[in-house]
Amino acid sequence: MLIGGRRKSRIHFEGISGNCPHCGNSKLSVQIFIKYGHVFWIPFIPFGKSTYLYCEHCKLVLEEDKIPTEFVSQTTQITSGIKTPKWTFAGLGLFVFLIVFAFIAGSFINSAGNKEQDDYYAHPRVGDMYDGMTLFNDGYVVYKLVEYKPNEYKFLMSEYAAETILGLTNIKSKNQYSNDTLLMDSSTVKEYRKNGTFLGVHR
Ligand SMILES: [Zn+2]
């Protein structure tokens, strides 16, 4: 469950000159709040500031649009001098950081995996298992390399085909292969890797 919402925090407090429009006392101040969205109480993104006129004596609080004109130039000057605090972007920063991190980690893992596959394809060994599709593309099978000479691959195809790629585990555990050999040259193997007939080599 995602918990989020809006919150408000006071970021500035400053006394101003003048008398309270309600009680006439001179203990007036400007209070500035920042509004921000949070996710799990982590400030995510700021929505803007709100300014209030506050009287310490009678506790009068006036919202920005109700501040008497005589105070407006003072309050707007103070408000415009207050920057949006960086912590209100914390969640957004964390989010961007995690995405960048996941992207870098992902591409690193991917390139490591590809490197291993490149190596298996470049230096085949008898016993290598090629996960793949049938030549008619109607099921998932395992091709087992039973003989290899440069430019001549001899494969046996698994006796059974699976409907989904997940079924390949079961097919491997059955360990049953057809007696008909499939002969392929290097360019065919390369082509099958490219067009997805071969999905990956396991050793
Ligand atoms: Zn007052």
Side-chain angles (χ1 to χ4, degrees):
M1 188 174 65
L2 190 72
I3 297 173
R6 283 177 176 232
R7 303 189 102 191
K8 208 156 80 165
S9 286
R10 194 173 77 177
I11 53 168
H12 192 71
F13 176 95
E14 189 174 332
I16 58 165
S17 56
N19 295 96
C20 172
H22 182 242
C23 73
N25 197 284
S26 61
K27 286 198 163 174
L28 276 182
S29 64
V30 168
Q31 307 221 13
I32 301 169
F33 287 76
I34 184 82
K35 291 173 284 183
Y36 59 90
H38 74 91
V39 176
F40 292 112
W41 302 281
I42 299 170
F44 205 85
I45 195 167
F47 290 127
K49 290 175 277 191
S50 13
T51 305
Y52 299 90
L53 185 71
Y54 175 70
C55 171
E56 234 175 280
H57 185 72
C58 73
K59 312 296 176 200
L60 171 83
V61 178
L62 290 178
E63 282 179 47
E64 204 159 357
D65 55 346
K66 304 213 168 62
I67 294 175
T69 31
E70 56 188 298
F71 300 108
V72 168
S73 71
Q74 277 192 91
T75 56
T76 43
Q77 199 188 347
I78 292 168
T79 306
S80 63
I82 302 301
K83 283 185 187 144
T84 299
K86 289 197 178 71
W87 59 259
T88 53
F89 293 99
L92 189 66
L94 186 68
F95 186 67
V96 169
F97 173 79
L98 287 178
I99 289 197
V100 170
F101 180 79
F103 181 76
I104 292 171
S107 64
F108 182 75
I109 289 164
N110 201 15
S111 73
N114 279 338
K115 218 174 157 197
E116 191 182 62
Q117 287 294 303
D118 287 346
D119 192 49
Y120 289 170
Y121 275 103
H123 310 285
R125 272 192 218 159
V126 167
D128 282 354
M129 308 279 217
Y130 290 62
D131 288 350
M133 307 286 296
T134 64
L135 300 181
F136 304 105
N137 261 335
D138 59 356
Y140 291 88
V141 286
V142 176
Y143 297 86
K144 186 178 181 179
L145 187 63
V146 287
E147 253 183 77
Y148 172 73
K149 284 180 279 186
N151 209 28
E152 194 187 298
Y153 295 68
K154 203 177 270 184
F155 287 104
L156 292 182
M157 202 200 275
S158 58
E159 191 89 62
Y160 302 98
E163 279 177 31
T164 68
I165 195 161
L166 295 171
L168 283 177
T169 319
N170 194 20
I171 283 175
K172 274 179 216 162
S173 70
K174 280 195 176 119
N175 201 28
Q176 282 176 287
Y177 294 86
S178 99
N179 292 322
D180 306 323
T181 52
L182 287 161
L183 280 175
M184 293 179 205
D185 58 14
S186 304
S187 63
T188 307
V189 170
K190 203 179 269 179
E191 177 59 28
Y192 283 173
R193 184 186 183 185
K194 218 172 109 186
N195 72 14
T197 301
F198 287 158
L199 299 166
V201 187
H202 297 273
R203 184 167 288 174

